[in-house]
């Protein structure tokens, strides 16, 4: 570990030296992190790519302290060793053809995958050996939290070129309301990506369906192995070839991002 920096209440950014991972990972993918020498928790935890460090020397991720693993991570110091394996899962899909404006909608710790995604969309960084290429003109980053002290790393999104729109449940920053209220008031995006708590994602999926907007959701499903072995992460996805009209998919290998319209329990 190179650095452990507090971003907001209970929220930390961890920078790790991992040049091979930095050269191969793409926005939307994740990696597993485990604290060596600990048997509780025994398993690793999945973390989305937050950003690439300078000269592709490593990667960063962000986490909110919610349990033992993240509590131990918050206490870790520069120089501590972490077990890290990845990249895992699928990258974010490209925006629809001809898209000029993309909205990235986040709630809670769900902003994590969208900083690297902003850099990819606006062409400030090429990932996995690809040259940087601007894909859209505008990235609207819509970020909701219970209160302003939980908004983490907002300046990094502004520095990356996103137009930032905040929302809070208590009105302490930005719009007093929900991310869906903010999205409804913005110029119409060509494509929406969402990440955050499930109720927020379901509301976002319904809103995009009613507005006829393409929408992809990055799921924060708990994972045990991250490798497609344990089936602890399954989600119901529409499948016309299945008698039931849906089948289970593993979020860790088939996701974590899915088209909202394909998620049976979301839209
Ligand atoms: Fe084990 Fe997905 S976390 S199959």
């Amino acid at each position: 570990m190179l650095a452990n920096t507090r971003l907001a209440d209970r929220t930390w950014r961890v920078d790790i030296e991992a040049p091979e991972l930095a050269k191969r990972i793409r926005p939307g993918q994740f990696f597993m992190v485990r604290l060596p020498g600990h048997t509780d928790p025994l398993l690793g935890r999945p973390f989305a790519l937050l950003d690439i460090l300078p000269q592709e020397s490593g990667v960063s991720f962000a986490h909110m302290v919610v349990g033992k693993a993240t509590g131990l991570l918050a206490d870790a110091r520069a120089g501590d060793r972490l077990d890290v394996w990845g990249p895992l899962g699928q990258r974010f899909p490209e925006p629809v053809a001809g898209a000029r404006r993309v909205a990235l909608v986040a709630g809670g710790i769900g902003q994590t995958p969208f900083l690297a995604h902003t850099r990819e969309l606006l062409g400030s960084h090429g990932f996995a050996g690809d040259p940087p290429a601007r894909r859209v003109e505008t990235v609207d980053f819509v970020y909701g939290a219970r209160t302003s002290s939980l908004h983490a790393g907002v300046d990094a999104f502004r520095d990356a070129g996103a137009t930032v729109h905040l929302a809070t449940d208590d009105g302490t920053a930005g719009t007093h309301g929900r991310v869906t209220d903010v999205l409804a008031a913005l110029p119409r995006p060509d494509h929406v990506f969402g990440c955050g708590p499930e109720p927020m994602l379901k509301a976002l999926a319904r809103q995009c369906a009613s507005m006829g907007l393409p929408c992809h959701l990055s799921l924060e499903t708990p994972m045990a192995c991250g490798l497609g072995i344990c089936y602890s992460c399954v989600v119901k996805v529409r499948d016309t070839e299945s008698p039931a009209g849906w089948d289970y998919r593993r979020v860790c290998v088939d996701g974590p991002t899915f088209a909202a319209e394909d998620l049976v329990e979301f839209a």
Side-chain angles (χ1 to χ4, degrees):
M1 175 188 291
L2 297 171
N4 197 5
T5 310
R6 185 178 176 279
L7 293 177
D9 274 1
R10 298 190 292 125
T11 308
W12 298 78
R13 170 185 168 132
V14 179
D15 295 341
I16 52 176
E17 185 178 3
E20 289 308 314
L21 182 57
K23 288 183 180 71
R24 291 167 53 213
I25 196 165
R26 292 176 179 273
Q29 292 186 295
F30 65 97
F31 42 89
M32 300 292 282
V33 176
R34 184 179 171 278
L35 287 134
H38 288 269
T39 53
D40 183 19
L42 183 63
L43 302 172
R45 287 280 313 271
F47 294 100
L49 171 70
L50 173 69
D51 211 354
I52 300 285
L53 301 184
Q55 286 83 50
E56 296 186 329
S57 58
V59 297
S60 62
F61 63 93
H63 70 92
M64 182 176 277
V65 177
V66 292
K68 278 184 186 166
T70 47
L72 289 167
L73 271 175
D75 291 337
R77 297 284 172 265
D80 287 355
R81 281 194 63 81
L82 298 177
D83 291 335
V84 178
W85 59 100
L88 303 170
Q90 306 298 318
R91 62 179 298 186
F92 281 121
E94 295 285 348
V96 291
R100 299 169 70 176
R101 189 170 206 115
V102 163
L104 308 180
V105 183
I109 193 67
Q111 93 283 13
T112 300
F114 289 144
L115 181 58
H117 199 196
T118 297
R119 298 196 195 286
E120 181 175 62
L121 291 167
L122 295 179
S124 62
H125 187 85
F127 290 84
D130 285 350
R134 192 173 186 115
R135 288 161 163 82
V136 298
E137 292 175 9
T138 304
V139 169
D140 286 306
F141 173 55
V142 182
Y143 183 14
R146 277 193 291 109
T147 188
S148 62
S149 63
L150 292 170
H151 277 137
V154 174
D155 286 344
F157 282 87
R158 291 197 181 96
D159 292 346
T163 305
V164 174
H165 312 269
L166 300 178
T168 45
D169 294 348
D170 63 1
T172 50
T175 297
H176 186 176
R178 300 185 173 163
V179 289
T180 44
D181 301 329
V182 178
L183 182 65
L186 288 179
R188 182 183 174 87
D190 299 300
H191 202 139
V192 175
F193 294 83
C195 185
E198 199 169 297
M200 185 211 97
L201 294 186
K202 289 180 175 175
L204 183 64
R206 287 194 296 271
Q207 182 180 24
C208 290
S210 70
M211 295 174 69
L213 293 174
C215 177
H216 279 83
L217 302 177
S218 180
L219 304 184
E220 296 177 322
T221 311
M223 296 177 189
C225 75
L227 300 170
I229 299 167
C230 73
Y231 283 74
S232 69
C233 63
V234 293
V235 64
K236 291 179 180 176
V237 173
R238 293 186 210 291
D239 182 349
T240 53
E241 295 184 4
S242 163
W246 60 268
D247 207 344
Y248 287 112
R249 294 280 186 278
R250 291 161 296 177
V251 173
C252 65
V253 292
D254 301 312
T257 302
F258 296 89
E261 63 192 9
D262 290 342
L263 292 168
V264 172
E265 288 161 344
F266 284 68

